[in-house]
Coordinates of all heavy atoms in Angstrom, one line a residue:
M240 N -7.3 18.6 9.6 CA -5.9 18.5 9.2 C -5.5 19.3 8.0 O -6.2 19.5 7.0 CB -5.7 17.0 8.7 CG -4.3 16.6 8.4 SD -4.2 14.9 7.7 CE -4.7 13.9 9.1
G241 N -4.5 20.1 8.2 CA -4.1 21.2 7.2 C -3.4 20.5 6.1 O -3.0 19.5 6.0
N242 N -3.3 21.4 5.0 CA -2.6 20.9 3.8 C -1.1 20.6 4.1 O -0.5 19.6 3.5 CB -2.7 21.9 2.8 CG -2.3 21.4 1.3 OD1 -2.7 20.3 1.0 ND2 -1.7 22.2 0.5
Q243 N -0.5 21.3 5.0 CA 0.8 21.2 5.3 C 1.1 19.8 5.9 O 2.1 19.1 5.5 CB 1.4 22.2 6.3 CG 2.9 22.3 6.4 CD 3.5 22.7 5.1 OE1 3.0 23.6 4.4 NE2 4.6 22.2 4.9
R244 N 0.2 19.4 6.8 CA 0.4 18.1 7.4 C 0.2 16.9 6.5 O 0.9 15.9 6.5 CB -0.7 17.9 8.6 CG -0.8 16.6 9.3 CD 0.5 16.3 10.1 NE 0.4 15.0 10.7 CZ 1.4 14.0 10.8 NH1 2.6 14.3 10.3 NH2 1.1 12.9 11.5
T245 N -0.8 17.1 5.5 CA -1.0 16.0 4.6 C 0.2 15.9 3.7 O 0.6 14.7 3.4 CB -2.2 16.5 3.6 OG1 -3.4 16.8 4.4 CG2 -2.5 15.5 2.5
R246 N 0.9 17.0 3.3 CA 2.1 16.9 2.5 C 3.2 16.1 3.3 O 3.9 15.4 2.8 CB 2.6 18.2 2.1 CG 3.5 18.3 1.0 CD 3.8 19.7 0.5 NE 2.5 20.5 0.1 CZ 2.5 21.8 0.0 NH1 3.5 22.5 0.3 NH2 1.4 22.3 -0.4
T247 N 3.2 16.5 4.5 CA 4.3 15.9 5.4 C 4.1 14.3 5.5 O 5.0 13.5 5.4 CB 4.3 16.5 6.8 OG1 4.4 17.9 6.6 CG2 5.5 16.0 7.6
I248 N 2.8 13.9 5.7 CA 2.5 12.5 5.8 C 2.9 11.8 4.6 O 3.6 10.7 4.6 CB 1.0 12.3 6.1 CG1 0.7 12.7 7.5 CG2 0.6 10.9 5.9 CD1 -0.8 12.8 7.9
R249 N 2.6 12.4 3.4 CA 2.9 11.7 2.1 C 4.4 11.6 2.0 O 5.0 10.5 1.5 CB 2.3 12.5 1.0 CG 0.8 12.3 0.9 CD 0.2 12.7 -0.4 NE -1.3 12.6 -0.1 CZ -2.0 13.6 -0.6 NH1 -1.7 14.6 -1.3 NH2 -3.3 13.4 -0.3
Q250 N 5.2 12.6 2.4 CA 6.6 12.6 2.3 C 7.1 11.4 3.3 O 8.1 10.8 2.9 CB 7.2 14.0 2.7 CG 8.6 14.1 2.4 CD 8.9 13.9 1.0 OE1 8.4 14.6 0.1 NE2 9.8 13.0 0.6
E251 N 6.6 11.4 4.4 CA 7.0 10.4 5.4 C 6.7 9.0 4.8 O 7.6 8.1 4.9 CB 6.3 10.5 6.7 CG 6.8 11.7 7.5 CD 6.1 11.9 8.8 OE1 5.4 10.8 9.3 OE2 6.0 12.9 9.4
I252 N 5.6 8.8 4.2 CA 5.3 7.5 3.6 C 6.3 7.1 2.5 O 6.8 6.1 2.4 CB 3.8 7.4 3.1 CG1 2.9 7.5 4.3 CG2 3.6 6.1 2.3 CD1 1.4 7.6 4.0
M253 N 6.6 8.1 1.7 CA 7.5 7.9 0.5 C 8.9 7.6 1.1 O 9.6 6.7 0.5 CB 7.5 9.1 -0.4 CG 6.2 9.2 -1.3 SD 6.4 10.3 -2.7 CE 6.2 11.9 -1.9
D254 N 9.3 8.3 2.1 CA 10.6 8.1 2.7 C 10.6 6.6 3.2 O 11.7 5.9 3.0 CB 10.9 9.0 3.8 CG 11.2 10.4 3.3 OD1 11.6 10.5 2.1 OD2 11.2 11.3 4.1
C255 N 9.6 6.2 3.9 CA 9.6 4.7 4.4 C 9.7 3.8 3.2 O 10.5 2.9 3.3 CB 8.3 4.5 5.1 SG 8.1 5.3 6.8
L256 N 9.0 4.0 2.1 CA 8.9 3.1 1.1 C 10.1 3.0 0.2 O 10.4 2.1 -0.5 CB 7.6 3.3 0.2 CG 6.3 3.2 1.0 CD1 5.2 3.4 -0.1 CD2 6.2 1.6 1.4
K257 N 10.9 4.1 0.3 CA 12.2 4.2 -0.4 C 13.3 3.3 0.3 O 14.1 2.7 -0.4 CB 12.7 5.6 -0.6 CG 12.0 6.4 -1.7 CD 12.5 7.8 -1.6 CE 11.5 8.7 -2.5 NZ 11.8 10.1 -2.2
N258 N 13.1 3.2 1.6 CA 14.1 2.5 2.3 C 13.8 1.0 2.5 O 14.6 0.2 2.9 CB 14.3 3.1 3.7 CG 14.9 4.5 3.6 OD1 15.6 4.8 2.6 ND2 14.4 5.4 4.4
D259 N 12.4 0.7 2.5 CA 12.1 -0.6 2.9 C 10.8 -1.0 2.2 O 10.1 -0.2 1.7 CB 11.8 -0.5 4.4 CG 12.3 -1.7 5.1 OD1 12.6 -2.8 4.5 OD2 12.5 -1.6 6.4
S260 N 10.5 -2.4 2.2 CA 9.2 -2.8 1.8 C 8.3 -2.9 3.1 O 8.7 -3.4 4.0 CB 9.3 -4.2 1.3 OG 9.9 -4.2 0.0
M261 N 7.1 -2.3 3.0 CA 6.3 -2.2 4.2 C 4.9 -2.5 3.8 O 4.3 -2.3 2.7 CB 6.3 -0.8 4.8 CG 7.8 -0.5 5.3 SD 7.9 1.2 5.9 CE 7.3 1.0 7.5
T262 N 4.1 -3.1 4.9 CA 2.7 -3.4 4.7 C 1.9 -2.0 5.0 O 2.4 -1.1 5.6 CB 2.2 -4.5 5.7 OG1 2.4 -4.0 7.0 CG2 3.1 -5.7 5.4
I263 N 0.7 -2.1 4.8 CA -0.2 -1.0 5.2 C -0.2 -0.8 6.7 O -0.1 0.4 7.2 CB -1.7 -1.2 4.8 CG1 -1.9 -1.4 3.3 CG2 -2.7 -0.2 5.3 CD1 -1.7 -0.1 2.5
R264 N -0.1 -1.9 7.4 CA -0.2 -1.7 8.9 C 1.2 -1.2 9.4 O 1.2 -0.3 10.2 CB -0.3 -3.1 9.5 CG -0.3 -3.0 11.1 CD -0.8 -4.3 11.7 NE -2.2 -4.6 11.4 CZ -2.8 -5.7 11.7 NH1 -2.2 -6.7 12.2 NH2 -4.0 -5.9 11.3
D265 N 2.3 -1.6 8.7 CA 3.6 -1.0 9.1 C 3.6 0.5 8.9 O 4.0 1.3 9.7 CB 4.8 -1.6 8.1 CG 5.0 -3.0 8.3 OD1 4.7 -3.5 9.5 OD2 5.5 -3.6 7.4
L266 N 3.1 0.9 7.8 CA 3.0 2.4 7.4 C 2.2 3.2 8.4 O 2.5 4.3 8.9 CB 2.6 2.5 6.0 CG 3.5 2.2 4.9 CD1 2.9 2.1 3.5 CD2 4.8 3.1 4.9
S267 N 1.0 2.6 8.7 CA 0.0 3.1 9.6 C 0.7 3.4 11.0 O 0.6 4.5 11.6 CB -1.2 2.1 9.8 OG -1.8 2.4 11.0
Q268 N 1.6 2.5 11.5 CA 2.2 2.6 12.7 C 3.3 3.6 12.6 O 3.7 4.4 13.5 CB 2.7 1.3 13.2 CG 1.5 0.4 13.7 CD 1.9 -1.1 14.0 OE1 3.0 -1.5 13.7 NE2 0.9 -1.8 14.5
A269 N 4.1 3.5 11.5 CA 5.3 4.3 11.3 C 4.9 5.9 11.2 O 5.6 6.7 11.8 CB 6.0 3.9 10.1
V270 N 3.8 6.1 10.6 CA 3.4 7.5 10.4 C 2.3 8.0 11.4 O 2.2 9.2 11.6 CB 2.9 7.8 8.9 CG1 2.7 9.2 8.6 CG2 4.0 7.2 7.9
G271 N 1.7 7.0 11.9 CA 0.7 7.4 13.0 C -0.6 7.9 12.4 O -1.2 8.9 13.0
I272 N -1.1 7.1 11.4 CA -2.4 7.5 10.9 C -3.1 6.2 10.6 O -2.5 5.0 10.8 CB -2.3 8.2 9.5 CG1 -1.5 7.4 8.4 CG2 -1.7 9.6 9.7 CD1 -1.6 8.0 7.1
M273 N -4.4 6.2 10.4 CA -5.2 4.9 10.2 C -4.9 4.2 8.9 O -4.4 4.8 7.9 CB -6.7 5.4 10.1 CG -7.3 6.3 11.2 SD -8.2 5.5 12.4 CE -9.7 5.1 11.5
E274 N -5.2 2.9 9.0 CA -4.8 2.1 7.8 C -5.5 2.6 6.5 O -5.0 2.6 5.5 CB -5.0 0.6 8.1 CG -4.0 0.1 9.1 CD -4.2 -1.4 9.3 OE1 -4.6 -2.1 8.4 OE2 -3.9 -1.9 10.4
K275 N -6.8 2.9 6.7 CA -7.6 3.4 5.5 C -6.9 4.6 5.0 O -7.0 4.8 3.8 CB -9.0 3.5 5.8 CG -9.4 4.6 6.8 CD -10.9 4.6 6.8 CE -11.5 5.7 8.0 NZ -11.2 7.0 7.6
D276 N -6.5 5.5 5.9 CA -5.8 6.8 5.4 C -4.5 6.5 4.6 O -4.2 7.1 3.6 CB -5.6 7.7 6.5 CG -6.9 8.2 7.1 OD1 -7.8 8.4 6.3 OD2 -6.9 8.5 8.3
V277 N -3.8 5.5 5.1 CA -2.6 5.0 4.3 C -3.0 4.7 2.9 O -2.2 5.1 1.9 CB -1.9 3.8 5.0 CG1 -0.7 3.3 4.2 CG2 -1.4 4.2 6.4
C278 N -3.9 3.9 2.7 CA -4.4 3.5 1.3 C -4.7 4.7 0.5 O -4.4 4.7 -0.7 CB -5.6 2.6 1.4 SG -5.4 1.0 2.3
H279 N -5.4 5.7 1.1 CA -5.8 6.9 0.4 C -4.6 7.6 0.0 O -4.5 8.0 -1.2 CB -6.7 7.7 1.3 CG -7.1 9.0 0.8 ND1 -8.1 9.0 -0.2 CD2 -6.8 10.3 1.0 CE1 -8.3 10.4 -0.5 NE2 -7.5 11.1 0.2
H280 N -3.6 7.8 0.8 CA -2.4 8.5 0.6 C -1.5 7.7 -0.5 O -1.0 8.4 -1.4 CB -1.5 8.7 1.7 CG -2.0 9.7 2.7 ND1 -2.2 11.1 2.3 CD2 -2.3 9.7 4.0 CE1 -2.6 11.7 3.4 NE2 -2.7 11.0 4.4
L281 N -1.6 6.4 -0.5 CA -0.8 5.7 -1.5 C -1.3 5.9 -2.9 O -0.5 5.9 -3.8 CB -0.9 4.2 -1.2 CG 0.0 3.6 0.0 CD1 -0.3 2.2 0.2 CD2 1.5 3.8 -0.5
E282 N -2.6 6.2 -3.1 CA -3.1 6.4 -4.4 C -2.5 7.7 -5.0 O -2.2 7.8 -6.1 CB -4.6 6.6 -4.4 CG -5.3 5.2 -4.1 CD -6.8 5.3 -3.9 OE1 -7.4 6.3 -4.2 OE2 -7.4 4.4 -3.3
Y283 N -2.3 8.7 -4.1 CA -1.7 10.0 -4.5 C -0.1 9.8 -4.8 O 0.4 10.2 -5.7 CB -1.9 11.0 -3.6 CG -3.3 11.6 -3.6 CD1 -4.2 11.1 -2.8 CD2 -3.6 12.7 -4.4 CE1 -5.6 11.6 -2.8 CE2 -4.9 13.2 -4.4 CZ -5.9 12.6 -3.7 OH -7.2 13.1 -3.8
I284 N 0.4 9.0 -3.9 CA 1.8 8.7 -4.0 C 2.2 8.0 -5.3 O 3.1 8.3 -5.9 CB 2.4 8.0 -2.7 CG1 2.4 8.9 -1.6 CG2 3.7 7.3 -3.0 CD1 2.5 8.3 -0.2
E285 N 1.4 7.1 -5.7 CA 1.6 6.3 -6.9 C 1.7 7.3 -8.1 O 2.6 7.2 -8.9 CB 0.5 5.3 -7.1 CG 0.9 4.4 -8.3 CD -0.3 3.4 -8.5 OE1 -1.4 3.6 -8.4 OE2 0.1 2.2 -8.7
K286 N 0.8 8.3 -8.2 CA 0.7 9.3 -9.2 C 2.0 10.2 -9.1 O 2.7 10.5 -10.1 CB -0.5 10.2 -9.1 CG -1.7 9.4 -9.7 CD -3.0 10.2 -9.4 CE -4.2 9.4 -9.6 NZ -5.3 9.8 -8.7
T287 N 2.4 10.5 -8.0 CA 3.5 11.4 -7.7 C 4.8 10.7 -8.2 O 5.6 11.3 -8.9 CB 3.7 11.8 -6.2 OG1 2.5 12.3 -5.7 CG2 4.9 12.7 -6.0
V288 N 5.1 9.4 -7.8 CA 6.3 8.8 -8.1 C 6.4 8.4 -9.6 O 7.4 8.3 -10.2 CB 6.5 7.5 -7.2 CG1 6.7 8.0 -5.7 CG2 5.6 6.5 -7.3
R289 N 5.1 8.2 -10.1 CA 5.2 7.9 -11.6 C 5.7 9.0 -12.4 O 6.4 8.9 -13.4 CB 3.7 7.6 -12.0 CG 3.7 6.8 -13.4 CD 2.3 6.3 -13.7 NE 1.8 5.3 -12.9 CZ 0.5 5.0 -12.7 NH1 -0.4 5.7 -13.4 NH2 0.1 4.0 -11.9
A290 N 5.4 10.2 -11.9 CA 5.9 11.5 -12.6 C 7.5 11.5 -12.5 O 8.0 12.3 -13.2 CB 5.2 12.7 -12.0
L291 N 8.0 10.9 -11.5 CA 9.4 10.9 -11.3 C 10.1 9.7 -11.9 O 11.2 9.3 -11.5 CB 9.7 11.0 -9.7 CG 9.1 12.1 -9.0 CD1 9.3 11.9 -7.6 CD2 9.8 13.4 -9.4
N292 N 9.4 9.0 -12.8 CA 9.8 7.7 -13.4 C 10.1 6.6 -12.4 O 11.1 5.9 -12.7 CB 11.1 8.0 -14.2 CG 10.8 8.4 -15.7 OD1 9.7 8.0 -16.1 ND2 11.6 9.2 -16.3
K293 N 9.4 6.6 -11.3 CA 9.5 5.5 -10.3 C 8.2 4.9 -10.3 O 7.2 5.4 -10.8 CB 10.0 6.1 -9.0 CG 11.4 6.6 -9.1 CD 11.8 7.2 -7.7 CE 13.2 7.6 -7.8 NZ 13.7 8.3 -6.6
R294 N 8.1 3.8 -9.5 CA 6.7 3.2 -9.4 C 6.6 2.6 -8.0 O 7.6 2.2 -7.3 CB 6.4 2.2 -10.5 CG 7.3 1.0 -10.4 CD 7.1 0.2 -11.7 NE 7.8 -1.1 -11.5 CZ 7.3 -2.2 -11.1 NH1 6.1 -2.3 -10.8 NH2 8.1 -3.3 -11.0
V295 N 5.4 2.4 -7.5 CA 5.1 1.8 -6.3 C 5.1 0.3 -6.6 O 4.2 -0.2 -7.3 CB 3.8 2.2 -5.7 CG1 3.5 1.4 -4.4 CG2 3.8 3.7 -5.3
H296 N 6.1 -0.4 -6.1 CA 6.1 -1.9 -6.4 C 5.3 -2.5 -5.4 O 5.4 -2.3 -4.2 CB 7.6 -2.3 -6.3 CG 7.6 -3.8 -6.6 ND1 7.8 -4.7 -5.4 CD2 7.7 -4.6 -7.6 CE1 7.8 -6.0 -5.9 NE2 7.8 -5.9 -7.2
V297 N 4.5 -3.5 -5.8 CA 3.6 -4.3 -4.8 C 4.0 -5.8 -4.8 O 3.9 -6.4 -5.8 CB 2.1 -4.1 -5.2 CG1 1.3 -4.8 -4.2 CG2 1.8 -2.7 -5.4
A298 N 4.4 -6.3 -3.7 CA 4.4 -7.8 -3.4 C 3.0 -8.1 -3.1 O 2.6 -7.8 -2.0 CB 5.4 -8.2 -2.5
P299 N 2.2 -8.8 -3.9 CA 0.7 -8.8 -3.7 C 0.2 -9.5 -2.5 O 0.8 -10.3 -2.0 CB 0.2 -9.4 -5.0 CG 1.4 -10.2 -5.5 CD 2.6 -9.5 -5.1
Y300 N -1.1 -9.1 -2.1 CA -1.7 -9.8 -1.1 C -1.8 -11.3 -1.6 O -2.0 -11.6 -2.7 CB -3.1 -9.2 -0.9 CG -3.2 -7.9 -0.3 CD1 -3.4 -6.8 -1.0 CD2 -3.1 -7.8 1.1 CE1 -3.5 -5.5 -0.4 CE2 -3.2 -6.5 1.7 CZ -3.3 -5.5 1.0 OH -3.4 -4.2 1.6
S301 N -1.8 -12.2 -0.7 CA -2.0 -13.6 -1.0 C -2.9 -14.4 0.0 O -3.1 -13.9 1.2 CB -0.6 -14.3 -1.1 OG 0.0 -14.3 0.0
C302 N -3.5 -15.4 -0.5 CA -4.4 -16.2 0.4 C -3.5 -17.2 1.2 O -2.7 -18.0 0.7 CB -5.4 -16.9 -0.4 SG -6.5 -18.0 0.5
L303 N -3.7 -17.2 2.5 CA -3.0 -18.1 3.3 C -3.4 -19.5 3.2 O -2.7 -20.5 3.6 CB -3.1 -17.7 4.8 CG -2.3 -16.4 5.2 CD1 -2.7 -15.9 6.6 CD2 -0.8 -16.7 5.2
D304 N -4.6 -19.7 2.7 CA -5.2 -21.1 2.6 C -4.9 -21.8 1.3 O -4.5 -23.0 1.3 CB -6.8 -21.0 2.8 CG -7.0 -20.6 4.3 OD1 -6.9 -21.4 5.1 OD2 -7.4 -19.4 4.5
C305 N -5.0 -21.1 0.2 CA -4.7 -21.7 -1.1 C -3.6 -21.3 -1.9 O -3.1 -21.7 -2.9 CB -6.0 -21.8 -2.0 SG -6.4 -20.2 -2.6
G306 N -3.0 -20.0 -1.4 CA -1.8 -19.4 -2.1 C -2.2 -18.5 -3.2 O -1.3 -18.1 -3.9
F307 N -3.5 -18.3 -3.4 CA -4.0 -17.4 -4.5 C -3.3 -16.0 -4.3 O -3.2 -15.5 -3.2 CB -5.5 -17.3 -4.5 CG -6.0 -16.3 -5.4 CD1 -6.2 -16.6 -6.9 CD2 -6.3 -15.0 -5.1 CE1 -6.7 -15.8 -7.8 CE2 -6.8 -14.1 -6.0 CZ -6.9 -14.5 -7.4
K308 N -2.7 -15.5 -5.3 CA -2.2 -14.1 -5.3 C -3.0 -13.1 -5.9 O -3.5 -13.3 -7.1 CB -0.7 -14.1 -5.9 CG 0.2 -14.8 -5.1 CD 1.6 -14.6 -5.5 CE 2.7 -15.4 -4.9 NZ 2.6 -15.5 -3.3
F309 N -3.3 -12.0 -5.3 CA -4.1 -10.9 -5.8 C -3.2 -10.0 -6.8 O -3.0 -8.8 -6.4 CB -4.8 -10.2 -4.7 CG -5.7 -10.9 -3.8 CD1 -5.3 -11.8 -2.9 CD2 -7.1 -10.7 -4.0 CE1 -6.2 -12.5 -2.1 CE2 -8.0 -11.4 -3.3 CZ -7.6 -12.3 -2.4
R310 N -2.9 -10.5 -7.9 CA -2.1 -9.8 -8.9 C -3.0 -8.7 -9.6 O -4.2 -8.9 -9.7 CB -1.4 -10.6 -9.9 CG -0.4 -11.6 -9.2 CD 0.3 -12.3 -10.4 NE 1.1 -13.5 -9.8 CZ 2.2 -13.3 -9.2 NH1 2.7 -12.2 -9.0 NH2 2.8 -14.3 -8.7
N311 N -2.5 -7.7 -10.1 CA -3.1 -6.6 -10.9 C -4.3 -6.0 -10.1 O -5.3 -5.6 -10.7 CB -3.7 -7.3 -12.2 CG -2.6 -7.8 -13.0 OD1 -1.5 -7.2 -13.1 ND2 -2.8 -8.9 -13.6
R312 N -4.2 -6.0 -8.8 CA -5.2 -5.4 -8.0 C -5.0 -3.9 -8.1 O -4.0 -3.4 -7.8 CB -5.1 -5.9 -6.4 CG -6.2 -5.4 -5.6 CD -6.0 -6.1 -4.2 NE -6.9 -5.4 -3.3 CZ -8.2 -5.6 -3.1 NH1 -8.7 -6.5 -3.9 NH2 -9.0 -5.0 -2.3
K313 N -6.1 -3.2 -8.4 CA -6.1 -1.8 -8.5 C -6.0 -1.0 -7.3 O -5.6 0.2 -7.2 CB -7.1 -1.3 -9.4 CG -7.1 -1.9 -10.9 CD -6.2 -1.1 -11.7 CE -5.9 -1.7 -13.2 NZ -4.9 -2.8 -13.2
K314 N -6.6 -1.5 -6.3 CA -6.7 -0.9 -5.0 C -5.6 -1.3 -4.0 O -5.2 -2.5 -4.1 CB -8.1 -1.1 -4.4 CG -9.2 -0.4 -5.1 CD -10.6 -0.6 -4.5 CE -11.6 0.1 -5.3 NZ -13.0 -0.4 -4.9
F315 N -5.3 -0.4 -3.0 CA -4.3 -0.8 -2.1 C -4.9 -1.5 -0.9 O -4.2 -2.1 -0.1 CB -3.6 0.5 -1.6 CG -2.7 1.1 -2.7 CD1 -3.1 2.3 -3.4 CD2 -1.5 0.6 -3.1 CE1 -2.4 2.8 -4.4 CE2 -0.7 1.1 -4.1 CZ -1.2 2.2 -4.8
K316 N -6.2 -1.3 -0.7 CA -6.9 -1.8 0.4 C -6.8 -3.4 0.5 O -6.8 -4.1 -0.7 CB -8.4 -1.4 0.4 CG -9.0 -1.3 1.7 CD -10.4 -0.8 1.6 CE -11.3 -1.8 1.0 NZ -12.7 -1.5 0.9
K317 N -6.8 -3.9 1.7 CA -6.7 -5.5 1.7 C -8.0 -6.0 1.3 O -9.0 -5.6 1.6 CB -6.6 -5.7 3.3 CG -6.3 -7.2 3.6 CD -6.0 -7.5 5.0 CE -5.9 -8.8 5.3 NZ -5.4 -9.1 6.7
P318 N -7.9 -7.1 0.4 CA -9.1 -7.8 0.0 C -9.8 -8.5 1.2 O -9.2 -8.9 2.1 CB -8.6 -8.7 -1.0 CG -7.2 -8.9 -0.8 CD -6.6 -7.7 -0.1
G319 N -11.2 -8.6 1.1 CA -11.9 -9.2 2.1 C -11.8 -10.7 2.1 O -11.6 -11.3 3.2
K320 N -11.9 -11.3 0.9 CA -12.0 -12.8 0.9 C -11.2 -13.3 -0.3 O -11.2 -12.5 -1.3 CB -13.4 -13.2 0.7 CG -14.1 -13.7 2.0 CD -15.5 -14.2 1.7 CE -16.2 -14.7 3.0 NZ -17.6 -15.2 2.7
C321 N -10.7 -14.5 -0.3 CA -10.1 -15.1 -1.4 C -11.2 -15.5 -2.5 O -12.1 -16.2 -2.1 CB -9.3 -16.3 -1.1 SG -8.7 -17.2 -2.4
P322 N -11.1 -15.1 -3.8 CA -12.1 -15.5 -4.8 C -12.0 -17.0 -5.1 O -12.9 -17.5 -5.7 CB -11.7 -14.6 -5.9 CG -10.3 -14.3 -5.8 CD -10.1 -14.3 -4.3
K323 N -10.9 -17.6 -4.8 CA -10.8 -19.0 -5.2 C -11.3 -20.0 -4.2 O -12.1 -20.9 -4.6 CB -9.2 -19.3 -5.4 CG -8.9 -20.4 -6.3 CD -7.4 -20.5 -6.6 CE -7.0 -21.9 -7.2 NZ -5.5 -22.0 -7.1
C324 N -10.9 -19.8 -2.9 CA -11.3 -20.8 -1.9 C -12.4 -20.3 -0.9 O -12.8 -21.0 -0.1 CB -10.2 -21.4 -1.2 SG -9.3 -20.2 -0.1
K325 N -12.5 -18.9 -1.1 CA -13.6 -18.2 -0.2 C -13.3 -18.2 1.2 O -14.1 -17.9 2.0 CB -15.0 -18.9 -0.4 CG -15.4 -19.2 -1.7 CD -15.7 -18.0 -2.6 CE -16.1 -18.4 -4.0 NZ -15.9 -17.4 -5.0
E326 N -12.0 -18.4 1.5 CA -11.6 -18.2 3.0 C -11.2 -16.8 3.1 O -11.0 -16.1 2.2 CB -10.4 -19.1 3.2 CG -10.7 -20.6 3.3 CD -11.7 -21.1 4.3 OE1 -11.7 -20.4 5.4 OE2 -12.5 -22.0 4.1
G327 N -11.1 -16.4 4.4 CA -10.8 -15.0 4.6 C -9.4 -14.6 5.1 O -9.2 -13.5 5.5
R328 N -8.6 -15.7 5.2 CA -7.3 -15.4 5.7 C -6.4 -14.9 4.6 O -5.9 -15.7 3.8 CB -6.7 -16.6 6.4 CG -7.6 -17.0 7.6 CD -6.8 -18.0 8.5 NE -6.5 -19.2 7.7 CZ -5.4 -19.9 8.0 NH1 -4.6 -19.6 9.0 NH2 -5.1 -21.0 7.3
I329 N -6.0 -13.6 4.6 CA -5.2 -12.9 3.7 C -3.9 -12.4 4.2 O -3.9 -11.7 5.2 CB -6.0 -11.8 2.9 CG1 -7.4 -12.1 2.5 CG2 -5.3 -11.2 1.9 CD1 -7.5 -13.2 1.4
A330 N -2.8 -12.8 3.6 CA -1.5 -12.3 4.0 C -1.3 -10.9 3.4 O -1.7 -10.6 2.3 CB -0.4 -13.3 3.5
P331 N -0.7 -10.0 4.2 CA -0.5 -8.6 3.6 C 0.3 -8.5 2.5 O 1.3 -9.2 2.3 CB 0.0 -7.9 5.0 CG 0.7 -9.0 5.8 CD 0.0 -10.2 5.5
A332 N 0.1 -7.4 1.7 CA 1.0 -7.0 0.6 C 2.0 -6.1 1.2 O 1.9 -5.4 2.1 CB 0.1 -6.2 -0.4
F333 N 3.1 -6.1 0.5 CA 4.3 -5.3 0.8 C 4.5 -4.2 -0.2 O 4.5 -4.7 -1.4 CB 5.6 -6.1 1.0 CG 5.6 -6.9 2.3 CD1 5.1 -8.1 2.4 CD2 6.3 -6.2 3.4 CE1 5.0 -8.7 3.7 CE2 6.3 -6.9 4.6 CZ 5.6 -8.2 4.7
F334 N 4.6 -3.1 0.1 CA 4.9 -1.9 -0.9 C 6.2 -1.3 -0.7 O 6.8 -1.2 0.3 CB 3.7 -0.8 -0.6 CG 2.4 -1.3 -0.7 CD1 1.6 -1.8 0.5 CD2 1.7 -1.4 -1.9 CE1 0.4 -2.3 0.4 CE2 0.4 -2.0 -1.9 CZ -0.2 -2.3 -0.8
S335 N 6.8 -0.9 -1.9 CA 8.1 -0.1 -1.8 C 8.1 0.7 -3.1 O 7.4 0.5 -4.1 CB 9.2 -1.2 -1.8 OG 9.1 -2.0 -3.0
I336 N 8.9 1.7 -3.0 CA 9.1 2.6 -4.2 C 10.4 2.3 -4.9 O 11.4 2.2 -4.2 CB 9.1 4.1 -3.8 CG1 7.7 4.5 -3.3 CG2 9.5 5.0 -5.0 CD1 7.6 5.8 -2.7
R337 N 10.4 2.0 -6.2 CA 11.5 1.6 -6.9 C 11.7 2.4 -8.3 O 10.6 2.9 -8.8 CB 11.4 0.1 -7.3 CG 11.4 -0.8 -6.1 CD 11.5 -2.2 -6.5 NE 11.3 -3.1 -5.3 CZ 11.3 -4.4 -5.4 NH1 11.4 -5.0 -6.5 NH2 11.0 -5.1 -4.2
P338 N 12.8 2.5 -8.8 CA 13.0 3.2 -10.0 C 12.3 2.5 -11.2 O 12.1 1.2 -11.2 CB 14.5 3.1 -10.2 CG 15.1 2.8 -9.0 CD 14.1 1.9 -8.2
Ligands
LIG60 ZN1 -7.8 -19.0 -1.1

């Protein structure tokens, strides 16, 4: 994958997030890349938008069983298990770019 394509993917992801709140899966399907690559790109995008006085807003992952919310999570990747009830059913986080 060339540098040009990488730049285009990041631009596409940023365009998606400016218009809508999306999950990692949504972005993966919209841009046509793997979910783990979406997480990787989001880390760069977060730095990029911060320089523009914007930020990546996160509606956090939450546990479907007990309602625990994964606030202040540093990574974009979906958590494996709920630390509170130890169940594995996690609702997706929604990401968007806001001023
Ligand atoms: Zn839980």
